[in-house]
Structures are given as structure tokens and as C-alpha cells.
Amino acid sequence: MFNKISRILMFVLVFALFACDQTQKSDHSPNASNSVDQAESTELVLYSSRNEQLILPLIEAYEAETGTQVKFVTDKPEPLIEKLKAEAELTPADVLMTVDAGNLWRASQAGLFMSLESDVLENAIPTNLRDVNMQWFGFSQRARTIVYSSERVKPEELSTYENLANEKWHGKLCLRTSKKVYNQSLVAMLIATHGTGVTENIITGWVNNLATDPFSNDTKTMQAILAGQCDVAIVNTYYFGRMQKQDSQLALKLFWPNQNEAPDQLSGVHVNISGAGVLKHAKHPEQALHFMEWMASARAQEILAKGNMEYPVVSDVANDPLVDSWGTFKADEQAIALAGELQSDAVMLMERVEYR
């Protein structure tokens, strides 16, 4: 009787151990793993410095196409970068999207991004518009160019960014404040071209030619031209596009500087980017990579470019018709990462020459 009970107990024990083993194996089986991956792939968390109205059409298109739910937080670049540094491995964010290569470079230097392996991104995004270590990528471009009064300036009077330091523009130049990253990046690219000494002479000339104190944004800068306070300025093209949409008879025109190759000037129009990178502590890294690759698709490029009158980074995607009406230009092809690497030099230079 004792032996019979022992055998029964032994059988129950063996069966229990076998069932436990099978349960553990099923948890790590391909099907179970796939179900976890699929669950993770249905959500993405995006931190973005781009305005909600600009990224919402992009997010809605991605959600509709993939079934992925995208949660997003918007703020200015500096607070978002500090937020990610403070959250560290506890961050819920998968992707950081922001404007200006200088901001992307700073996020990279803070160790926030992971390096990606992606033939899609490597083939689609031009080398000069992405990080050398594949940590961030530009997905749209904006030109920072010269705008002038079509009533008081003839286009043949204009030539280069450097020439705006010429005395003939004394009392006729308006600029946006040096505190904004857009002008910091432009000056950084001038340093990359000329070195610090020559660039300091150029920016000193700009300051000497100012008609009034620098403005807080590009729109106010162009409004100053319209009000007759100055004749020329440097602005991002999409700000000009917004004003032109409101007034088709706008008495302003764009000029593409630095189109003639010469060793004493920037090698083309200064372009900057909006871009993104996958965060090192992303909870959904595979989905984040998929989103990045989708951003290089024709559909996403069209939404990005036409939504804010920017330029796509993928060459076979059409511009907004209004953008096309501005004409074509040769862009400076230096690595845009230099805007970040030389940003602190640019800031110190502008402080020295009292460009406020």
C-alpha cells in the first residue's frame, strides 16, 4: 500500500515538473515572443520640439498606415533635452524629433541617442544631412537665405552672406537675435568655411550695418523691412512662405546667395534641418526604427515638406508649388553636424562682437 501511494505521489510530482517546464518553454517560444513584439510594436512615444499642428498630420498618417498608436509630448528643444537627461533609463520616450542640427548634435553629445543600422536611412538621407555615427537624421530642410525689399533693392545688388558686411548696407540690414539657434548655426557654418578670424570680421560688419536692434523672430524681421526700417535681412524660407500665403502681393523677395563658387565665401545657400533620432533607452526600439525609416518614405516626406513649406531631403519628392515658385539654388554641402560642433564657438564670437 505504501509503495502504491509513493508511486502515485512520484507520478504527480513528475507531471507537475513537466507541465512547469512546458509552460516556461511556451513563454519563450517564437509565437509567444512574436506576440510580445507585436504588442510593443503597436505603441510609440515621441518627444518633439515641432509644433503640434505641424506633426499631427504626420502622426495621423503613420497611425493610419501602420495601426501604431503614437503618443507625443511637445516642448522647446532645450527643455526636452534636459527632460530626457533627467529621465535617463526611465524615460517613456522612443524618439526625439527636433529642429536644427545644433540641437540634434547636442542631444547626441549628451548620450541620448543609439546608433542605428538601416540601409533604408543610409540610402535615403544624404550624408551631409545625418550624423556620421547614424544617431540622428535630417528629414526636412529649410534654407536660411537673404530676403529683400522688392521696392528698394535690386537683386543684382546682392551676392553673398559675407557681402552683407559691406558698408553699402550700413543702416539697411535687419537680423534676428543671436540667441536663437538658427543664426548660431549659420555663423557656425561660416566658421567652418572661413575660420574664426575672418568670420568675426564678417559678423562685426553685420552688426555695424544694423538699422535697428535684432528682432525676436524672422516674421518681425521681415515686417521691419515692409515698414521701411531696413532693406535686407536673413530669414528661414518657410517664414517668408507663411507671409506670402497671407499676402500674394508681398513687397519682399528671396535671394539665393553664394551661388558662384569662390574660396572666400560659403559654398552655397545655408540649409538646416529638422530631424530625429532613436533614444538610447527607447522602450520600443524596433518600432522607433520603423518610424524613422517611414519618415524617409515619399508619403512622410510630402507631409513634412508641404505642411511647413520646407524642402524634402529625398530628392524625388516634389516641393510645395509655392516653394517651387521661389526658384532653385545650390546649397552649401558641408556636413550639417558642424553647426553643432562649432556652435559654442559661434556663440562666443557673436558675444565678442556684441551681436545681441
Side-chain angles (χ1 to χ4, degrees), residues 173-188:
L173 177 66
C174 280
L175 292 173
R176 184 176 184 164
T177 175
S178 66
K179 306 303 179 185
K180 297 299 182 180
V181 72
Y182 300 136
N183 280 343
Q184 293 170 7
S185 291
L186 171 57
V187 173

Side-chain angles (χ1 to χ4, degrees), residues 242-274:
R242 291 175 189 174
M243 291 185 70
Q244 196 177 44
K245 271 193 169 181
Q246 295 175 353
D247 180 5
S248 61
Q249 303 303 312
L250 192 67
L252 297 174
K253 287 190 176 179
L254 295 176
F255 179 83
W256 307 121
N258 300 64
Q259 295 302 281
N260 299 316
E261 293 186 15
D264 61 344
Q265 62 181 248
L266 202 67
S267 63
V269 172
H270 169 60
V271 296
N272 211 318
I273 59 170
S274 64

Side-chain angles (χ1 to χ4, degrees), residues 1-9:
M1 182 69 177
F2 176 81
N3 288 340
K4 185 175 181 180
I5 293 174
S6 298
R7 285 197 298 271
I8 291 171
L9 291 173

Side-chain angles (χ1 to χ4, degrees), residues 40-182:
E40 289 185 346
S41 70
T42 60
E43 182 175 294
L44 183 76
V45 181
L46 172 69
Y47 280 7
S48 173
S49 72
R50 308 221 66 181
N51 292 335
E52 181 175 338
Q53 66 266 26
L54 296 180
I55 63 167
L56 200 54
L58 190 75
I59 289 172
E60 289 173 344
Y62 184 72
E63 289 180 330
E65 188 171 317
T66 66
T68 299
Q69 180 185 7
V70 180
K71 300 177 180 178
F72 64 94
V73 173
T74 58
D75 205 338
K76 293 183 178 180
E78 296 83 359
L80 284 178
I81 290 173
E82 292 305 312
K83 178 178 176 66
L84 285 165
K85 287 162 66 174
E87 290 173 343
E89 67 274 7
L90 298 179
T91 184
D94 300 304
V95 173
L96 172 65
M97 179 186 295
T98 188
V99 296
D100 199 276
N103 291 321
L104 290 163
W105 184 86
R106 286 197 300 111
S108 176
Q109 291 299 297
L112 298 181
F113 293 137
M114 65 170 70
S115 295
L116 301 178
E117 293 183 8
S118 170
D119 291 340
V120 172
L121 293 173
E122 191 168 359
N123 293 331
I125 311 301
T127 305
N128 64 309
L129 301 181
R130 66 174 192 249
D131 175 57
V132 66
N133 296 313
M134 300 281 283
Q135 292 197 350
W136 52 261
F137 301 81
F139 290 113
S140 66
Q141 301 178 81
R142 67 280 304 275
R144 190 155 188 80
T145 193
I146 295 174
V147 63
Y148 65 96
S149 167
S150 57
E151 298 174 336
R152 298 186 299 277
V153 177
K154 296 178 181 179
E156 54 267 28
E157 296 179 76
L158 297 160
S159 58
T160 66
Y161 298 104
E162 292 87 346
N163 184 255
L164 293 178
N166 191 292
E167 287 184 359
K168 72 179 180 180
W169 299 112
H170 182 71
K172 298 180 180 181
L173 177 66
C174 280
L175 292 173
R176 184 176 184 164
T177 175
S178 66
K179 306 303 179 185
K180 297 299 182 180
V181 72
Y182 300 136

